[in-house]
Amino acid sequence: MLSPETSLARGAPVWPLFAKELREILSGRALWTLLLLACPLVGYSFFQAISLYAEASAAAANSPVLATSLSPLDGILVPTFGSFYVAVTLLFPFVAIRVLGEEKQTGALRLLVQLPYHSATLVWVKLAAVFFAWLLCAIPVLSSAVIWWIAGGHLSAAEIVTLFLGHLLYGLLIGAVALFAASITESSATAAIVTLAFTIGSWVLDFTIAGRPGWLEWLAHLSLTQFIRTFEQGLLSGSLVAGAVVAVCTFAALATVWLPPGIAVRQKLMRSAVCVGAAAVTLVVVAQIKASIDVTEDRRNSFALADAKQLAGLAEPLAITVHLAPEDPRYVDLQRNVLAKLERVMPRISIRLAAGRQSLASSAGDEAYGEIEYRYGARSDTSRSTSPREILPLIYELAGVPRPAPIPSAEFPGYPFVLDGAFAVLWFVVILPILIVLAWWRSRRLPSGNPMFLKEVAMNSSTKTLLIIAVSVVAVLLPAFAEPVKVDLTNETAGAEPKGMVPVVGVWRIENDGGKKLLAVDGRQWKEGQSSAGIADKARALYGERYAEFLDRVQAYAYYPYVVAKDVEDFKNGEITVRFEGLSGRIDQGAGILFNLKPNGDYLTIRANCLENNLVLWKFEKGRRSSVEWVRNTPTATRQWHDLKVRIAGNKVEGYLDGKLYLQHTLPQPVSGKIGLWSKADSYMHFDDFTVVASE
Amino acid sequence: MSPSLRARRRTLARLCALTTVALISLGQTVQAAEVPSYCAELKQVAALALTRDRFASIIGAAREGNFLDSKVSLSGWGDCSFYGTRTYTCDSQGFKTADEGIAAHRKVFDEVKSCLHGSWSEVESRASPGYVVLHDEKDSASITINTDLTDKGEHIVRLILFLRSR
């Protein structure tokens, strides 16, 4: 038998309530402010994305191989939606909080709960209004996709829908958290702090502990940034979508519990515990959902069709034991290139990190470190490779099945497209903001309707303060999203000296390696003591009027080849990374990151050596070389790519090889000077992805 | 002393002498196995490194880049040459597998130590897998022995002898 309240609630129409919530949102300034701020934010990201995409497309005009790497998902959509993500994270809570916070502050909530609606109905209608607000906020980012499409750029419906769904779920989750925060707090300001603690705390999780071993890694999985990343990779994961829906429902249920005034806190706590318990159980269940769809056109999350079919037919369980730390780049490669794909396609697979998810630091001395064991049925084998080209044949051999013949399928052609960004600037800086202001003005003239509900809540001082805080937070945090400076070689000419780097000593040139341009140092042709061609002009370009001293030193002590990054004037703090491969060299196969280069030619370098398996911090003063810190047993195989990284903080120097910290040293003076790349003797090396992230 | 007793003593003395000769011969044989066939040339190059004129007397014609021919080659080694005027280098024969290369590296290291015993010593603090360093008594020259992978995919051992101070 239904209670009178239930029957009343069932009969009461929901639409007026929804309309009232919409008017509440539209009448406030938070939504419009967010929209206005999102315009330049999204516009700038979109402009940057189409500029970089155009550069890459121009370079790919004569290279079909390079063209295949051009996907609008990665090049345009993900970076543009990324800026929208920032706006939603920092500003959308203020919009969502408004649908409940204002009513609590003005006392209208007490009247609202007396109406013939369940608390749950009230919360779900408010959540629906939040969803509508999010859709409005998405106008700038959606307009960027429309501009791209109208201009002739390629868009994949499946990719954009998946990406949009990921951001929608994220927005709803933020909205639900905001509603819950507003329901448990007395003021909008406190609710905003609680919600921002949740969203920014999620960033902190992502930035600080992602990739760390142990329970920190588990904690990092709660990061909402990680949640979005799966959708950005074009993977529609059943467990992730279901998990997000469960999380949204949980926060909405919690808001329902805490919404009605006049109920004892103890009772609310008990109900909340039931909600959280039910959510936890449901999350455990949905985590078992293995179904996922690779929506990308280039099938980046899947093996080739023939391999996928063959692997899906393997009936025995496959157990993989990985002797790598989770933060090791090799593990990241293995996870992305092999394990994630195997998990998607094989019915019975278990993956385990050996030694209790050891850390890089604790792996030193472990001879098995780097090995990956594969056990299929009663047979097992070990490999150190992270490439499917080597791992799949190994699995086929264990399973006793032949390697499948390739199934003919359409190759991903890539979508190079050059678009002039002028219209985008006009749209995001002028036209769209004007339209938003007009809509704002129009919204303030909406009919008032029921005076009890539609009492216009003026912008009070606390809301203004919140918006100022939000804008300040955006201003402060935006630099954290600054793109690292990466030396782009796509526009360089193969066979010529690099334009983005200044060769000072040695033979440095751009080489084409299978369609990709790389920086090479070729010591085979170089005679010791020879500085690079046109060194006087180069010295002048680097040091202006003070070039003479630098030139003298270089000409007197041209014993070690090096190039200097043109666009980095003075590097003091941050990270410099580069990938390198030793091709040949009888005397040396050295690759170093040069830093602290002074106008007198003195400098420091941390270098790896494929012939010596050591990592050394060298000091060069007046042309004289001396070792400052020497670390041995650093595996650096020749003819393989390695990652070298130098991290500087004042006078503290750290050297990493393949993601592992090997070298730490404190210099007598803080680092300050130009940076570049270094080599030695007859080394013939390839360099790529020279990236500089400077920090204060 | 009876003739039979003298005969026994002579026999015993001969046996002792024969045993001693055999042991000495065996020792020399063992030692000969440790001292490599290229020891004489290596000693010659190592000795030149410590002279005033350094390697001038054995440097030959210029090759490509910074390499120069060498007039002295280590027996059994290939492509002995100079990089500049301060660095002498030779490559071993090629091995098919990395394991064979590593075994050869270990063997060469033992041979070089044996050859230059007393005047050169290993610097353990500089050693890494597949890479060892020896310094001479005065620390004015170094020998490094490392493994490498050639263009043909062969694993080789490389010996480099170079002057330390510039």
Side-chain angles (χ1 to χ4, degrees):
Chain A
M1 192 165 171
L2 296 174
S3 69
E5 188 199 2
T6 309
S7 66
L8 189 60
R10 280 195 169 181
V14 173
W15 173 248
L17 191 63
F18 181 62
K20 167 252 168 195
E21 296 297 346
L22 290 187
R23 280 191 289 270
E24 280 286 334
I25 285 180
L26 293 173
S27 65
R29 291 183 192 172
L31 173 72
W32 304 104
T33 310
L34 192 163
L35 269 167
L36 284 172
L37 284 173
C39 281
L41 197 63
V42 171
Y44 177 73
S45 297
F46 181 58
F47 180 75
Q48 284 284 96
I50 57 177
S51 301
L52 290 172
Y53 201 85
E55 276 183 33
S57 299
N62 299 317
S63 169
V65 178
L66 192 57
T68 57
S69 64
L70 289 170
S71 158
L73 174 66
D74 301 318
I76 304 294
L77 295 178
V78 168
T80 311
F81 272 78
S83 59
F84 175 58
Y85 159 79
V86 175
V88 168
T89 302
L90 293 173
L91 299 174
F92 191 63
F94 299 97
V95 179
I97 286 166
R98 185 182 168 78
V99 299
L100 187 55
E102 291 292 341
E103 285 167 349
K104 285 192 87 170
Q105 278 189 321
T106 59
L109 182 65
R110 288 185 177 278
L111 300 173
L112 191 66
V113 293
Q114 290 173 27
L115 291 172
Y117 297 105
H118 271 310
S119 298
T121 309
L122 293 175
V123 169
W124 281 107
V125 167
K126 286 179 184 298
L127 196 60
V130 167
F131 167 68
F132 176 79
W134 183 88
L135 284 178
L136 284 179
C137 295
I139 285 174
V141 76
L142 288 176
S143 71
S144 68
V146 172
I147 290 172
W148 174 255
W149 180 66
I150 289 175
H154 175 80
L155 280 183
S156 157
E159 286 176 353
I160 195 167
V161 165
T162 302
L163 186 62
F164 187 78
L165 177 66
H167 282 269
L168 170 63
L169 289 171
Y170 175 73
L172 278 178
L173 186 55
I174 299 292
V177 171
L179 278 181
F180 168 61
S183 71
I184 60 170
T185 55
E186 288 306 315
S187 72
S188 298
T190 315
I193 289 167
V194 171
T195 314
L196 285 178
F198 182 84
T199 55
I200 296 175
S202 176
W203 279 356
V204 172
L205 281 181
D206 197 46
F207 291 146
T208 56
I209 63 175
R212 303 281 177 88
W215 65 275
L216 290 174
E217 191 207 7
W218 177 86
L219 200 60
H221 283 149
L222 300 178
S223 157
L224 295 176
T225 318
Q226 298 288 339
F227 162 79
I228 291 272
R229 206 155 284 156
T230 305
F231 293 91
E232 289 177 343
Q233 287 162 1
L235 197 60
L236 189 57
S237 160
S239 63
L240 208 55
V241 173
V245 171
V246 170
V248 170
C249 292
T250 305
F251 280 108
L254 288 171
T256 307
V257 168
W258 287 86
L259 184 72
I263 298 177
V265 172
R266 192 176 169 184
Q267 202 173 348
K268 288 181 176 178
L269 283 173
M270 286 178 66
R271 289 178 184 173
S272 299
V274 172
C275 285
V276 171
V281 172
T282 317
L283 282 173
V284 169
V285 172
V286 299
Q288 307 308 313
I289 300 174
K290 298 289 179 196
S292 61
I293 304 169
D294 181 5
V295 300
T296 54
E297 290 186 272
D298 55 0
R299 289 176 50 81
R300 70 188 62 173
N301 302 299
S302 311
F303 291 123
L305 280 174
D307 287 314
K309 201 172 172 185
Q310 184 81 299
L311 290 166
L314 300 182
E316 294 281 320
L318 174 68
I320 301 175
T321 307
V322 184
H323 293 265
L324 284 170
E327 69 269 33
D328 193 311
R330 285 172 289 176
Y331 178 70
V332 177
D333 278 350
L334 182 73
Q335 173 67 28
R336 187 179 55 224
N337 298 332
V338 180
L339 300 183
K341 295 178 183 178
L342 281 176
E343 279 184 309
R344 290 193 58 240
V345 75
M346 284 194 74
R348 300 173 69 187
I349 183 171
S350 63
I351 297 165
R352 189 175 71 85
L353 278 173
R357 309 172 89 80
Q358 62 190 330
S359 68
L360 272 174
S362 66
S363 65
D366 179 4
E367 287 191 359
Y369 187 79
E371 290 182 352
I372 302 139
E373 298 167 20
Y374 300 85
R375 179 172 291 278
Y376 183 83
R379 303 174 71 182
S380 66
D381 203 347
T382 303
S383 166
R384 285 179 178 268
S385 174
T386 60
S387 163
R389 282 196 298 275
E390 292 180 36
I391 294 170
L392 292 187
L394 184 150
I395 293 174
Y396 294 143
E397 200 175 320
L398 288 178
V401 295
R403 184 155 198 187
I407 297 173
S409 61
E411 293 264 325
F412 177 69
Y415 296 99
F417 182 65
V418 178
L419 173 65
D420 180 13
F423 178 74
V425 174
L426 186 69
W427 170 254
F428 285 106
V429 176
V430 181
I431 301 173
L432 190 55
I434 289 174
L435 291 175
I436 290 168
V437 170
L438 284 173
W440 188 354
W441 174 74
R442 174 79 182 151
S443 73
R444 297 184 70 83
R445 301 178 63 204
L446 285 173
S448 60
N450 188 331
M452 185 184 77
F453 288 133
L454 303 179
K455 178 177 59 176
E456 195 72 30
V457 181
M459 187 74 162
N460 58 31
S461 60
S462 66
T463 313
K464 284 178 185 169
T465 310
L466 288 176
L467 279 174
I468 290 168
I469 291 170
V471 172
S472 307
V473 168
V474 172
V476 169
L477 290 179
L478 269 182
F481 289 85
E483 288 287 317
V485 177
K486 188 171 178 178
V487 174
D488 183 16
L489 302 176
T490 49
N491 286 333
E492 298 277 5
T493 308
E497 279 196 344
K499 293 171 197 155
M501 311 279 278
V502 181
V504 175
V505 178
V507 179
W508 295 83
R509 62 168 175 265
I510 301 296
E511 289 190 355
N512 207 330
D513 184 28
K516 185 166 191 192
K517 285 176 184 163
L518 304 165
L519 177 61
V521 59
D522 190 354
R524 298 172 302 178
Q525 309 290 323
W526 174 68
K527 278 189 185 297
E528 218 174 25
Q530 280 183 344
S531 49
S532 295
I535 184 62
D537 290 337
K538 289 171 179 171
R540 197 177 284 114
L542 288 172
Y543 288 107
E545 295 301 313
R546 301 176 63 196
Y547 81 98
E549 185 185 12
F550 181 73
L551 182 61
D552 287 347
R553 285 288 175 85
V554 167
Q555 289 178 326
Y557 306 112
Y559 301 130
Y560 305 96
Y562 69 91
V563 282
V564 178
K566 198 184 262 180
D567 298 327
V568 182
E569 282 300 317
D570 187 6
F571 183 87
K572 292 178 177 171
N573 292 293
E575 288 183 2
I576 310 166
T577 54
V578 73
R579 295 176 69 234
F580 71 89
E581 180 189 21
L583 298 172
S584 73
R586 293 186 68 200
I587 306 302
D588 263 289
Q589 290 181 26
I593 291 174
L594 177 147
F595 56 100
N596 206 43
L597 176 62
K598 306 291 187 186
N600 67 3
D602 290 350
Y603 61 85
L604 296 164
T605 183
I606 286 184
R607 74 101 181 97
N609 193 318
C610 302
L611 297 181
E612 298 181 5
N613 295 316
N614 52 31
L615 192 68
V616 183
L617 170 60
W618 291 104
K619 176 174 73 175
F620 294 79
E621 284 180 342
K622 295 180 183 172
R624 196 175 184 85
R625 183 178 71 145
S626 55
S627 65
V628 179
E629 191 79 41
W630 188 293
V631 182
R632 57 206 189 102
N633 301 328
T634 61
T636 320
T638 188
R639 293 165 195 276
Q640 285 185 23
W641 281 96
H642 301 277
D643 297 324
L644 182 64
K645 180 168 84 176
V646 171
R647 180 180 283 171
I648 310 284
N651 57 350
K652 291 187 169 42
V653 180
E654 291 178 348
Y656 296 76
L657 184 65
D658 290 329
K660 184 172 179 178
L661 173 63
Y662 281 109
L663 188 151
Q664 287 178 295
H665 185 80
T666 303
L667 297 163
Q669 299 290 329
V671 168
S672 174
K674 290 184 177 292
I675 61 170
L677 293 170
W678 183 94
S679 189
K680 184 167 177 265
D682 62 334
S683 304
Y684 177 31
M685 315 291 290
H686 273 169
F687 293 92
D688 193 17
D689 294 338
F690 181 66
T691 307
V692 185
V693 182
S695 58
E696 289 304 316
Chain B
M1 189 183 289
S2 68
S4 62
L5 187 61
R6 278 203 299 273
R8 259 187 239 166
R9 283 188 178 175
R10 274 202 299 273
T11 307
L12 189 64
R14 281 173 191 156
L15 276 172
C16 286
L18 274 172
T19 308
T20 307
V21 169
L23 284 173
I24 289 170
S25 303
L26 185 66
Q28 284 173 339
T29 308
V30 170
Q31 201 178 354
E34 287 176 352
V35 175
S37 58
Y38 53 86
C39 185
E41 296 93 350
L42 181 60
K43 278 183 172 172
Q44 182 192 354
V45 177
L48 283 172
L50 308 178
T51 62
R52 190 176 171 185
D53 293 335
R54 308 297 190 186
F55 303 118
S57 60
I58 58 168
I59 290 178
R63 291 188 187 178
E64 190 182 36
N66 205 43
F67 282 96
L68 303 150
D69 281 340
S70 170
K71 293 174 185 171
V72 174
S73 292
L74 304 186
S75 300
W77 291 69
D79 202 14
C80 290
S81 54
F82 280 94
Y83 182 81
T85 56
R86 306 168 58 85
T87 305
Y88 175 81
T89 181
C90 289
D91 289 353
S92 75
Q93 65 174 82
F95 300 95
K96 284 182 181 171
T97 66
D99 286 343
E100 286 176 349
I102 290 166
H105 175 264
R106 204 172 299 128
K107 181 168 174 280
V108 167
F109 179 45
D110 289 340
E111 289 173 350
V112 170
K113 275 198 299 188
S114 170
C115 174
L116 301 176
H117 180 72
S119 51
W120 291 69
S121 55
E122 182 189 1
V123 187
E124 290 182 6
S125 63
R126 292 286 197 256
S128 286
Y131 177 74
V132 288
V133 183
L134 295 104
H135 283 179
D136 74 307
E137 284 173 323
K138 295 178 182 173
D139 267 2
S140 56
S142 291
I143 291 174
T144 63
I145 304 165
N146 63 273
T147 55
D148 193 11
L149 184 63
T150 67
D151 292 339
K152 296 174 187 168
E154 290 180 329
H155 298 267
I156 58 161
V157 178
R158 181 169 297 128
L159 181 144
I160 301 173
L161 194 158
F162 64 96
L163 307 177
R164 298 192 68 206
S165 56
R166 184 170 284 281

